[in-house]
């Protein structure tokens, strides 16, 4: 008897174990969108008193601890791919549901963030056209593409990623040349991007809560566990994605901060709109004129569009699985169009929600997303303690105590610190969403008297997403 791969859904496609370590890391970096460092640079510089790299360094330290916890729990529960699943399996299904409900903010709002960034790019290139027009055009285009097909390719992602990084390298080289000529801080080596008079820890922590948004997606590589050549590489892939992504953010942030020591350079005449939305176009304009502005914006546009398609399809897919399992109303959310084989209701719903990008700024939407992400990251660390130290009893040796209590405990503490330093509007909005989740959970569990129905967002939806190994008798 041998093991064969069997498709779980219509279409007949299967997934093969053909992704190596660096292919998976590339997918993770593409999801993180490296050019986002320029998009949020102005608002982070303003909130941290011009120490953007310090905010990224703090966020990176927090993410490293959480990435280590992701690696540990992903190895223990290799079929899972989210904080929801880890909490469900290690602690309790109802608590897992609440973590998943809170994380749903990330899924739903990420497409809106990409829409906001695209809007700011096009507004910079075509200032005479109202921004709401670009929001409508973008939402219709992306929704239409995903309405017809949810299939994507890692090759396209890698091309976009390499293009973006090459442009970022060119940008850094140009900034180094300008610093050498006496522009900006007029030095290549300085501690001022990390610490200077007037900088406070609370301001750095506030900035770190914003740039956490830049790291969202590093955990998404767990979804490729069944396509990895060896599942054992997943913990390393998660950690490498965080470290390499953090290095890109730190290097780009460091040289950009030296070139722009004062965030007010992005606010001509005191206009804060340049800061509240993306500062990428104006950074490119100042450093390299119209040519670099166009190239840098093109790199950001490509990376953001790819991320937008992925995030829009992902949340539509997650809502479908929740609908199939009747966690959400099955008639609507569990519907698959028989002609396009896509969850059309969910796709159109996400597109409609993305239209809310018209009145909102990037800053507030990013803060709301970070609320859900930091809750999820905190509970991933708690899940390591619950699974290994409590369920498996691995708390008797110094090594076990360090690996399964101390390390995730530090990660939990650090993510908690960032969570309480979130923007007040994000806390209000996020807590309101959490309360709604508790009420909804009480309804579907009949007053918490039964466990909520489980759902796995990695379940198949279109015939090529996921496969299982089933025994086939060849005799």
């Amino acid at each position: 008897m041998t093991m064969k791969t069997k498709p779980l859904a219509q279409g007949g496609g299967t997934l093969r174990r053909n992704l190596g370590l660096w292919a998976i890391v590339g997918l993770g970096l593409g999801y993180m969108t490296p050019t986002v460092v320029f998009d949020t640079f102005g608002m982070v510089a303003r909130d941290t008193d011009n120490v953007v790299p310090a905010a990224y360094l703090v966020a990176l330290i927090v993410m490293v601890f959480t990435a280590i916890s992701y690696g540990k729990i992903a190895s223990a529960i290799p079929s899972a791919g989210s904080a929801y699943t880890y909490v469900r399996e290690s602690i309790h299904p109802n608590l897992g549901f609440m973590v998943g409900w809170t994380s749903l903010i990330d899924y739903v709002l990420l497409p809106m963030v990409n829409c906001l960034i695209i809007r700011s790019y096009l507004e910079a290139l075509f200032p005479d056209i109202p921004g709401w027009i670009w929001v409508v055009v973008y939402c219709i285009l992306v929704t239409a593409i995903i309405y017809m097909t949810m299939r994507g390719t890692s090759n396209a992602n890698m091309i976009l990623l390499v293009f973006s990084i090459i442009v970022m390298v060119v940008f850094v080289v140009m900034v180094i040349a300008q610093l050498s000529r006496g522009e900006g801080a007029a030095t290549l080596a300085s501690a001022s991007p990390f610490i200077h008079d007037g900088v406070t820890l609370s301001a750095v922590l506030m900035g770190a809560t914003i740039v956490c948004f830049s790291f969202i997606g590093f955990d998404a590589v767990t979804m490729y566990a069944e396509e990895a050549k060896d599942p054992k590489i997943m913990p390393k892939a998660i950690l490498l994605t965080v470290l390499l992504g953090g290095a890109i953010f730190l290097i780009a942030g460091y040289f950009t901060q030296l070139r722009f020591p004062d965030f007010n350079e992005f606010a001509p005449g005191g206009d804060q709109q340049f800061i509240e939305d993306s500062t990428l176009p104006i950074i490119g304009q100042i450093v390299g004129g119209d040519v670099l502005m166009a190239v840098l914006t093109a790199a950001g546009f490509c990376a953001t569009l790819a991320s937008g398609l992925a995030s829009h399809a992902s949340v539509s897919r997650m809502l479908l699985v929740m609908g199939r399992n009747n966690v959400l109303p099955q008639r609507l959310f569990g519907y698959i169009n028989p002609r396009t084989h896509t969850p059309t209701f969910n796709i159109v719903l996400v597109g409609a929600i993305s239209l809310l990008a018209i009145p909102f700024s990037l800053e507030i939407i990013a803060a709301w997303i970070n609320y859900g992400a930091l809750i999820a990251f905190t509970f991933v660390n708690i899940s390591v303690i619950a699974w290994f130290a409590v369920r498996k009893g691995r708390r008797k040796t110094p090594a076990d105590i360090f690996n399964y209590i101390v390390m995730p405990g530090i990660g939990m503490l650090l993510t908690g610190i960032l969570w309480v330093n979130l923007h007040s509007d994000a806390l209000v909005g996020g807590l309101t969403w959490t309360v709604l989740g508790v009420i909804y959970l009480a309804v579907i569990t009949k007053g918490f008297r039964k466990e909520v129905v489980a759902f796995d967002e990695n379940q198949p939806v279109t015939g090529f997403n996921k496969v299982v190994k089933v025994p086939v008798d060849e005799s």
Side-chain angles (χ1 to χ4, degrees), residues 293-472:
M293 175 186 174
V295 174
L296 191 61
T297 301
F301 189 96
C302 290
T304 304
L305 181 59
S307 178
L309 289 166
S311 59
H312 193 130
S314 294
V315 65
S316 302
R317 183 173 183 264
M318 181 179 182
L319 292 172
L320 172 63
V321 175
M322 294 176 75
R324 278 185 169 181
N325 289 280
N326 217 25
V327 176
L328 293 175
Q330 189 176 51
R331 181 183 295 271
L332 294 175
F333 293 92
Y335 172 76
I336 293 182
N337 188 304
R339 184 173 61 85
T340 62
H341 303 288
T342 56
T344 48
F345 173 81
N346 299 335
I347 292 168
V348 173
L349 176 64
V350 175
I353 293 173
S354 296
L355 287 172
L356 295 176
I358 293 174
F360 284 108
S361 69
L362 177 59
E363 181 177 20
I364 187 61
I365 298 300
W368 281 341
I369 287 175
N370 286 336
Y371 172 90
L374 289 171
I375 290 289
F377 294 162
T378 299
F379 274 94
V380 165
N381 287 296
I382 294 174
S383 295
V384 171
I385 298 174
W387 180 267
F388 291 100
V390 178
R391 285 183 177 266
K392 301 301 180 182
R394 301 193 64 175
R395 56 182 184 271
K396 298 180 176 63
T397 67
D400 281 349
I401 291 173
F402 177 78
N403 287 323
Y404 305 121
I405 297 177
V406 175
M407 289 288 286
I410 294 173
M412 178 181 64
L413 176 64
L414 293 176
T415 52
I417 290 173
L418 292 186
W419 186 83
V420 299
N421 279 278
L422 279 170
H423 192 287
S424 58
D425 289 343
L427 288 174
V428 172
L431 289 171
T432 300
W433 177 254
T434 302
V435 170
L436 291 175
V438 173
I439 295 172
Y440 183 64
L441 178 62
V443 172
I444 63 177
T445 59
K446 300 186 183 302
F448 306 109
R449 290 195 297 270
K450 66 176 185 177
E451 294 180 356
V452 69
V453 177
F455 73 93
D456 178 2
E457 58 265 51
N458 285 327
Q459 285 181 20
V461 295
T462 55
F464 60 88
N465 299 109
K466 188 177 180 182
V467 295
V468 293
K469 300 291 186 178
V470 294
V472 178

Side-chain angles (χ1 to χ4, degrees), residues 4-21:
K4 283 193 175 182
T5 300
K6 180 180 178 180
L8 284 180
Q10 50 188 300
T14 63
L15 294 178
R16 296 180 179 178
R17 289 198 175 277
N18 58 4
L19 292 180
L21 175 64

Side-chain angles (χ1 to χ4, degrees), residues 134-156:
W134 298 122
V135 172
V136 173
V137 170
Y138 171 86
C139 290
I140 292 175
L141 176 63
V142 170
T143 302
I145 291 173
I146 301 172
Y147 188 99
M148 299 307 299
T149 176
M150 292 179 72
R151 185 182 297 271
T153 66
S154 61
N155 289 337

